[in-house]
Amino acid sequence: MTQDLGAGRRASTATLAQARDDARGRADTAVEAMPYLPPSSSPYAPEGVDPGTLVWAETVGGPGYTHATVARGTRIRLEDVTGDACAHVVLHSALNRGERLNVADTQKIPWQAYLGQGHPLLSGDGRVLATVVADTAEGHHDAFCGVTTLAGNAARYGAGEAHAATAAGRELLLLAAAKEGLEPRDLPPSVSFFKGVRVAPTGALEWTGAAGPGASIDLVAEMPLTILIANAAHPLDPAEGYRSGPLRVHAWAAAASAPSDPWWSATPERTRAYLNTQQHLLARGIR
Amino acid sequence: MTVTWATHEADYFDRSEPLVPGAVVLDEEIAPRAGWSAVVRAGHVLTLVDVGGNQSGDCLIFDAADHDERYSVQSTLAAQRNAYLVEGSVLMSNEGHPLMTIVGNEVERQDTIGGACSKESNTLRYGHHTLFHHACRENFLLEGAQHGLGPRDLVSNINWFMNVPVEADGTLGIVDGMSAPGKRVALRAERDVLVVISNCPQVNNPCNDFNPTPLRVVVTDPGVAA
């Protein structure tokens, strides 16, 4: 399959002048996977969102990765454009990189293994890094299986390097982490959006697949946050070939969760998690 | 209310014996509420004994030569397509390689979903008055520091002898254990590994039957006669 990457030989590049003209002539090419700058110019700005408030707009290829450090109160929408995306997400506090997503606490503290609207993504320090504030994928997510590995993808698809068409999620997260100044040890277990897994009474992990094209989730950053995203096939995806599709990312300035939000007081555990977060930020002069 | 912080000796304790015979390489007791760590060589078998019954042993595993490669609950569960650890379960690394294999197990299933307790998460789970209760994360940090490991090296762990069922609607949590004094689990090292164990100090849920008790660790070399 030939993919239009907006690349390849177009004109003579024998002289510096020709090469410069050729290089400059490549701009203004639109392809599927690319960022939109300024973010307000995104052709896919979410409905009901003032494009002027966008701080990040991008389509991530499948497979591909992206990452950003965002302010508290940033609302991040991830959209599974074709129904084939799987967004593997890791979060770190931008205030202290040792504070990061703790999947066990994210499942245990709400007494709920399945991610959905209102679910807090907790750090290992008793605080909320981000909240899933909207979910049109109706719970087609997974916090059990994580990402694929180089060894696993090499065995299953023949290759798993980041540059391969069958890239392993972990290889992509390693790159995203490195770009944010993080190291391999900074990659804890991740959560996966848009591909669902459920636990049978026997403990068997059962694939429930995608919600379909256009499904989205919204995360709100509850503190200054670094987000790493690998868009790569899910480890349990039963498709014979490597399944991946474009992932759209839009983020805009909104508000962190407040006591008036239903998830703040959904359970006593969550209330205390938000209170811990609030105090942590208050002490730093962050409101 | 009086809280039992730990029981160090009792007539119902059963220190049992190694589950896999062989020359004894190491035989130590992890006091209630304490941390422990050691390198287990490839081929050796670590038997963990639940001396007092229903005592959670929170466990992390690292490649002894490269600590960046460490136990991954997610790689482990995805590989076996099951949420519970049983005999035959292979404990996988974050790079998708086997670190240890469960070669013997005397409880119905072992947990790796529930994670470790921490002073910080105690405040969410049980209220802010529990902030100063000792916790597994403290043991992991102190024990890990002896090997150059810090907070960035703590990942979701295994909880030997702890019971965390997942119900159909996703409800999960720690309930009464299925273990008993003298019950064992045995792990064969598939490469040289650093094993870090926190003998769980939690007294706010049934993971230790509200009474922390000792764990016994015996490492044997099955290749050499006892």
Side-chain angles (χ1 to χ4, degrees), chain A residues 97-98 100 102-105 107-109 111-114 122 124-127 143-147 149-152 156 170-171 174 181-191 198-205 235-236 268-269 272-273 275-276, chain B residues 67-70 72-75 77-84 93-97 109 112-118 120-128 137 148-157 162 166-174:
Chain A
R97 297 304 185 75
R100 72 243 184 122
N102 184 312
V103 170
D105 283 357
Q107 295 182 305
K108 173 174 63 181
I109 283 160
W111 299 82
Q112 177 51 252
Y114 303 145
L122 296 166
D125 294 85
R127 295 187 277 261
F144 285 100
C145 297
V147 287
T149 60
L150 178 57
R156 181 168 174 189
R170 177 166 169 83
E171 296 301 295
L174 284 168
L182 299 167
E183 299 171 9
R185 68 198 295 223
D186 294 307
L187 288 182
S190 49
V191 289
R198 290 293 179 264
V199 181
T202 58
L205 298 175
L236 294 197
E269 296 85 5
R272 290 191 286 266
L275 288 173
N276 282 356
Chain B
H67 293 163
D68 281 353
E69 183 163 3
R70 72 272 306 261
S72 165
V73 49
Q74 295 185 324
S75 289
L77 298 189
Q80 69 172 21
R81 291 169 183 262
N82 194 290
Y84 306 125
S93 76
N94 52 358
E95 297 289 356
H97 299 131
R109 57 171 190 252
T112 188
I113 303 168
C117 65
S118 72
E120 295 76 17
S121 70
N122 276 348
T123 70
L124 309 190
R125 301 163 76 191
Y126 313 111
H128 284 100
R137 192 163 182 250
L149 302 170
R152 295 158 68 196
D153 300 297
L154 300 191
V155 290
S156 297
N157 54 288
M162 192 167 105
V166 183
E167 294 179 353
D169 65 354
T171 302
L172 93 170
I174 302 164

Side-chain angles (χ1 to χ4, degrees), chain A residues 158-171:
Chain A
E161 293 84 353
H163 58 262
T166 55
R170 177 166 169 83
E171 296 301 295

Side-chain angles (χ1 to χ4, degrees), chain A residues 134-148:
Chain A
D135 176 21
T136 75
E138 294 172 338
H140 284 79
H141 313 300
D142 169 44
F144 285 100
C145 297
V147 287
T148 51

Side-chain angles (χ1 to χ4, degrees), chain B residues 5 7 12 14 34 44 48 62 66 78 80 94 113 138 150 160 175 178 187 209:
Chain B
W5 287 101
T7 301
Y12 63 88
D14 180 354
H44 290 187
L48 189 66
F62 299 83
D66 173 12
Q80 69 172 21
N94 52 358
I113 303 168
E138 310 286 302
W160 303 116
V175 298
M178 299 181 290
L187 314 169
D209 202 22

